[in-house]
Amino acid sequence: MQPLGDLIRPDLRVLFCGINPGLVSAETGHHFARPGNRFWPALHLAGFTPRIFKPAEQRELLDLDLGITNVVDRPSARADELTKAEFRAGGENLERKVLEFGPDWLAVVGVTAYRDAFGLPKAAIGRQERVIGRTRVWVLPNPSGLNAHYTLPKLALVYGELRVAAGLPDLAPAPDQSDPAPGRTAS
């Protein structure tokens, strides 16, 4: 199985960093491709994208100054199959990549992956004190459906905090107030 290529270019506003490619992502060549992964809906609801992108449309993120990489390149069915050594090596590689491409923000999606990759056992969700070169770091909750503690609305709220900190506009269309909710009539 091939490693999943990065979706990256110099000077992105936000470089999202997954833990590692899942088997579906590695097979399709698209990030966050497993059905049930909430990355794409969370990005949209947080206002990063004007609609929910399909994994096959991932290249459109570059037009929005967004990109995707991973801490560890090796695909696996679950992140708990990765070793501490893979995370440490992945953290070193990620640091080199960030220094080379210089995104404004690195957003690691998974606090445990961030802790393991950078040897920071007390790191929490949110903005980090650490910077890599000029790049600020934010840790987001893992959007995997296995992370039941974070519902989609809660993921969108936390992802939206990063969007605001990054100074990006809210691209999610506002709900149409003239359209009543299903089963309701307008007053």
Side-chain angles (χ1 to χ4, degrees), residues 55-73:
E57 298 173 311
Q58 66 186 16
R59 296 208 57 81
E60 292 183 39
L61 287 179
L62 292 173
D63 294 334
L64 300 172
D65 289 328
L66 307 173
I68 307 175
T69 189
N70 287 292
V71 175
V72 176
D73 291 333

PDB file of all heavy atoms in Angstrom, residues 55-73:
ATOM      1  N   PRO A  55     -13.835  13.729  -0.314  1.00  0.00           N
ATOM      2  CA  PRO A  55     -12.392  13.495  -0.264  1.00  0.00           C
ATOM      3  C   PRO A  55     -11.720  13.636  -1.640  1.00  0.00           C
ATOM      4  O   PRO A  55     -10.609  14.159  -1.732  1.00  0.00           O
ATOM      5  CB  PRO A  55     -12.280  12.078   0.284  1.00  0.00           C
ATOM      6  CG  PRO A  55     -13.505  11.917   1.139  1.00  0.00           C
ATOM      7  CD  PRO A  55     -14.576  12.675   0.393  1.00  0.00           C
ATOM      8  N   ALA A  56     -12.405  13.234  -2.702  1.00  0.00           N
ATOM      9  CA  ALA A  56     -11.832  13.330  -4.052  1.00  0.00           C
ATOM     10  C   ALA A  56     -11.670  14.785  -4.509  1.00  0.00           C
ATOM     11  O   ALA A  56     -10.983  15.040  -5.489  1.00  0.00           O
ATOM     12  CB  ALA A  56     -12.699  12.559  -5.055  1.00  0.00           C
ATOM     13  N   GLU A  57     -12.281  15.723  -3.806  1.00  0.00           N
ATOM     14  CA  GLU A  57     -12.169  17.140  -4.143  1.00  0.00           C
ATOM     15  C   GLU A  57     -11.126  17.858  -3.287  1.00  0.00           C
ATOM     16  O   GLU A  57     -11.059  19.086  -3.278  1.00  0.00           O
ATOM     17  CB  GLU A  57     -13.528  17.827  -3.950  1.00  0.00           C
ATOM     18  CG  GLU A  57     -14.610  17.264  -4.845  1.00  0.00           C
ATOM     19  CD  GLU A  57     -15.986  17.828  -4.520  1.00  0.00           C
ATOM     20  OE1 GLU A  57     -16.357  17.840  -3.329  1.00  0.00           O
ATOM     21  OE2 GLU A  57     -16.680  18.244  -5.469  1.00  0.00           O
ATOM     22  N   GLN A  58     -10.293  17.087  -2.605  1.00  0.00           N
ATOM     23  CA  GLN A  58      -9.351  17.662  -1.644  1.00  0.00           C
ATOM     24  C   GLN A  58      -8.457  18.746  -2.235  1.00  0.00           C
ATOM     25  O   GLN A  58      -8.080  19.687  -1.545  1.00  0.00           O
ATOM     26  CB  GLN A  58      -8.504  16.562  -0.998  1.00  0.00           C
ATOM     27  CG  GLN A  58      -7.572  15.865  -1.957  1.00  0.00           C
ATOM     28  CD  GLN A  58      -6.861  14.685  -1.313  1.00  0.00           C
ATOM     29  OE1 GLN A  58      -7.234  14.195  -0.262  1.00  0.00           O
ATOM     30  NE2 GLN A  58      -5.806  14.231  -1.971  1.00  0.00           N
ATOM     31  N   ARG A  59      -8.115  18.664  -3.508  1.00  0.00           N
ATOM     32  CA  ARG A  59      -7.209  19.656  -4.112  1.00  0.00           C
ATOM     33  C   ARG A  59      -7.810  21.074  -4.093  1.00  0.00           C
ATOM     34  O   ARG A  59      -7.082  22.053  -4.145  1.00  0.00           O
ATOM     35  CB  ARG A  59      -6.829  19.256  -5.534  1.00  0.00           C
ATOM     36  CG  ARG A  59      -6.019  17.945  -5.550  1.00  0.00           C
ATOM     37  CD  ARG A  59      -5.076  17.806  -6.685  1.00  0.00           C
ATOM     38  NE  ARG A  59      -4.098  18.837  -6.851  1.00  0.00           N
ATOM     39  CZ  ARG A  59      -2.938  18.945  -6.171  1.00  0.00           C
ATOM     40  NH1 ARG A  59      -2.652  18.065  -5.253  1.00  0.00           N
ATOM     41  NH2 ARG A  59      -2.091  19.919  -6.434  1.00  0.00           N
ATOM     42  N   GLU A  60      -9.132  21.165  -3.996  1.00  0.00           N
ATOM     43  CA  GLU A  60      -9.780  22.469  -3.922  1.00  0.00           C
ATOM     44  C   GLU A  60      -9.395  23.222  -2.652  1.00  0.00           C
ATOM     45  O   GLU A  60      -9.529  24.448  -2.584  1.00  0.00           O
ATOM     46  CB  GLU A  60     -11.302  22.319  -4.022  1.00  0.00           C
ATOM     47  CG  GLU A  60     -11.754  21.859  -5.398  1.00  0.00           C
ATOM     48  CD  GLU A  60     -13.255  21.767  -5.526  1.00  0.00           C
ATOM     49  OE1 GLU A  60     -13.969  22.649  -4.983  1.00  0.00           O
ATOM     50  OE2 GLU A  60     -13.729  20.819  -6.178  1.00  0.00           O
ATOM     51  N   LEU A  61      -8.910  22.507  -1.638  1.00  0.00           N
ATOM     52  CA  LEU A  61      -8.473  23.177  -0.413  1.00  0.00           C
ATOM     53  C   LEU A  61      -7.325  24.145  -0.689  1.00  0.00           C
ATOM     54  O   LEU A  61      -7.226  25.198  -0.050  1.00  0.00           O
ATOM     55  CB  LEU A  61      -8.033  22.161   0.637  1.00  0.00           C
ATOM     56  CG  LEU A  61      -9.132  21.349   1.320  1.00  0.00           C
ATOM     57  CD1 LEU A  61      -8.510  20.379   2.314  1.00  0.00           C
ATOM     58  CD2 LEU A  61     -10.145  22.248   2.000  1.00  0.00           C
ATOM     59  N   LEU A  62      -6.444  23.782  -1.623  1.00  0.00           N
ATOM     60  CA  LEU A  62      -5.307  24.647  -1.923  1.00  0.00           C
ATOM     61  C   LEU A  62      -5.758  26.036  -2.379  1.00  0.00           C
ATOM     62  O   LEU A  62      -5.118  27.042  -2.048  1.00  0.00           O
ATOM     63  CB  LEU A  62      -4.399  24.006  -2.978  1.00  0.00           C
ATOM     64  CG  LEU A  62      -3.657  22.749  -2.530  1.00  0.00           C
ATOM     65  CD1 LEU A  62      -2.933  22.111  -3.711  1.00  0.00           C
ATOM     66  CD2 LEU A  62      -2.691  23.044  -1.389  1.00  0.00           C
ATOM     67  N   ASP A  63      -6.885  26.108  -3.093  1.00  0.00           N
ATOM     68  CA  ASP A  63      -7.423  27.400  -3.530  1.00  0.00           C
ATOM     69  C   ASP A  63      -7.905  28.237  -2.349  1.00  0.00           C
ATOM     70  O   ASP A  63      -8.074  29.447  -2.466  1.00  0.00           O
ATOM     71  CB  ASP A  63      -8.583  27.207  -4.512  1.00  0.00           C
ATOM     72  CG  ASP A  63      -8.136  26.574  -5.820  1.00  0.00           C
ATOM     73  OD1 ASP A  63      -6.948  26.730  -6.180  1.00  0.00           O
ATOM     74  OD2 ASP A  63      -8.973  25.918  -6.465  1.00  0.00           O
ATOM     75  N   LEU A  64      -8.140  27.584  -1.217  1.00  0.00           N
ATOM     76  CA  LEU A  64      -8.585  28.276  -0.003  1.00  0.00           C
ATOM     77  C   LEU A  64      -7.423  28.491   0.963  1.00  0.00           C
ATOM     78  O   LEU A  64      -7.633  28.849   2.125  1.00  0.00           O
ATOM     79  CB  LEU A  64      -9.695  27.457   0.676  1.00  0.00           C
ATOM     80  CG  LEU A  64     -10.947  27.217  -0.168  1.00  0.00           C
ATOM     81  CD1 LEU A  64     -11.888  26.243   0.529  1.00  0.00           C
ATOM     82  CD2 LEU A  64     -11.638  28.526  -0.486  1.00  0.00           C
ATOM     83  N   ASP A  65      -6.192  28.241   0.487  1.00  0.00           N
ATOM     84  CA  ASP A  65      -4.975  28.372   1.302  1.00  0.00           C
ATOM     85  C   ASP A  65      -4.940  27.383   2.462  1.00  0.00           C
ATOM     86  O   ASP A  65      -4.435  27.685   3.542  1.00  0.00           O
ATOM     87  CB  ASP A  65      -4.794  29.803   1.823  1.00  0.00           C
ATOM     88  CG  ASP A  65      -4.417  30.765   0.709  1.00  0.00           C
ATOM     89  OD1 ASP A  65      -3.732  30.340  -0.234  1.00  0.00           O
ATOM     90  OD2 ASP A  65      -4.803  31.942   0.789  1.00  0.00           O
ATOM     91  N   LEU A  66      -5.477  26.192   2.214  1.00  0.00           N
ATOM     92  CA  LEU A  66      -5.489  25.113   3.202  1.00  0.00           C
ATOM     93  C   LEU A  66      -4.779  23.902   2.612  1.00  0.00           C
ATOM     94  O   LEU A  66      -4.805  23.701   1.397  1.00  0.00           O
ATOM     95  CB  LEU A  66      -6.928  24.732   3.563  1.00  0.00           C
ATOM     96  CG  LEU A  66      -7.846  25.871   4.022  1.00  0.00           C
ATOM     97  CD1 LEU A  66      -9.274  25.372   4.169  1.00  0.00           C
ATOM     98  CD2 LEU A  66      -7.347  26.484   5.322  1.00  0.00           C
ATOM     99  N   GLY A  67      -4.174  23.086   3.461  1.00  0.00           N
ATOM    100  CA  GLY A  67      -3.505  21.876   3.004  1.00  0.00           C
ATOM    101  C   GLY A  67      -3.653  20.765   4.025  1.00  0.00           C
ATOM    102  O   GLY A  67      -4.194  20.968   5.120  1.00  0.00           O
ATOM    103  N   ILE A  68      -3.162  19.577   3.646  1.00  0.00           N
ATOM    104  CA  ILE A  68      -3.247  18.407   4.525  1.00  0.00           C
ATOM    105  C   ILE A  68      -1.956  17.599   4.432  1.00  0.00           C
ATOM    106  O   ILE A  68      -1.431  17.380   3.337  1.00  0.00           O
ATOM    107  CB  ILE A  68      -4.424  17.474   4.155  1.00  0.00           C
ATOM    108  CG1 ILE A  68      -5.750  18.221   4.088  1.00  0.00           C
ATOM    109  CG2 ILE A  68      -4.533  16.318   5.153  1.00  0.00           C
ATOM    110  CD1 ILE A  68      -6.932  17.377   3.621  1.00  0.00           C
ATOM    111  N   THR A  69      -1.496  17.142   5.570  1.00  0.00           N
ATOM    112  CA  THR A  69      -0.382  16.200   5.675  1.00  0.00           C
ATOM    113  C   THR A  69      -0.708  15.232   6.808  1.00  0.00           C
ATOM    114  O   THR A  69      -1.826  15.258   7.338  1.00  0.00           O
ATOM    115  CB  THR A  69       0.953  16.950   5.909  1.00  0.00           C
ATOM    116  OG1 THR A  69       2.025  16.024   5.806  1.00  0.00           O
ATOM    117  CG2 THR A  69       0.984  17.635   7.260  1.00  0.00           C
ATOM    118  N   ASN A  70       0.244  14.403   7.181  1.00  0.00           N
ATOM    119  CA  ASN A  70       0.067  13.462   8.295  1.00  0.00           C
ATOM    120  C   ASN A  70       1.317  13.437   9.157  1.00  0.00           C
ATOM    121  O   ASN A  70       2.414  13.696   8.667  1.00  0.00           O
ATOM    122  CB  ASN A  70      -0.208  12.048   7.770  1.00  0.00           C
ATOM    123  CG  ASN A  70      -1.589  11.920   7.195  1.00  0.00           C
ATOM    124  OD1 ASN A  70      -2.582  11.985   7.898  1.00  0.00           O
ATOM    125  ND2 ASN A  70      -1.673  11.776   5.872  1.00  0.00           N
ATOM    126  N   VAL A  71       1.143  13.078  10.424  1.00  0.00           N
ATOM    127  CA  VAL A  71       2.290  12.908  11.309  1.00  0.00           C
ATOM    128  C   VAL A  71       3.096  11.702  10.845  1.00  0.00           C
ATOM    129  O   VAL A  71       4.302  11.775  10.660  1.00  0.00           O
ATOM    130  CB  VAL A  71       1.859  12.735  12.788  1.00  0.00           C
ATOM    131  CG1 VAL A  71       3.068  12.435  13.669  1.00  0.00           C
ATOM    132  CG2 VAL A  71       1.120  13.961  13.298  1.00  0.00           C
ATOM    133  N   VAL A  72       2.417  10.585  10.665  1.00  0.00           N
ATOM    134  CA  VAL A  72       3.060   9.331  10.263  1.00  0.00           C
ATOM    135  C   VAL A  72       2.564   8.979   8.865  1.00  0.00           C
ATOM    136  O   VAL A  72       1.369   9.055   8.590  1.00  0.00           O
ATOM    137  CB  VAL A  72       2.734   8.198  11.263  1.00  0.00           C
ATOM    138  CG1 VAL A  72       3.309   6.872  10.809  1.00  0.00           C
ATOM    139  CG2 VAL A  72       3.240   8.561  12.672  1.00  0.00           C
ATOM    140  N   ASP A  73       3.484   8.587   7.997  1.00  0.00           N
ATOM    141  CA  ASP A  73       3.112   8.263   6.612  1.00  0.00           C
ATOM    142  C   ASP A  73       2.496   6.877   6.448  1.00  0.00           C
ATOM    143  O   ASP A  73       1.728   6.644   5.523  1.00  0.00           O
ATOM    144  CB  ASP A  73       4.334   8.354   5.693  1.00  0.00           C
ATOM    145  CG  ASP A  73       4.809   9.785   5.519  1.00  0.00           C
ATOM    146  OD1 ASP A  73       3.990  10.715   5.649  1.00  0.00           O
ATOM    147  OD2 ASP A  73       6.007   9.976   5.265  1.00  0.00           O
TER     148      ASP A  73
END
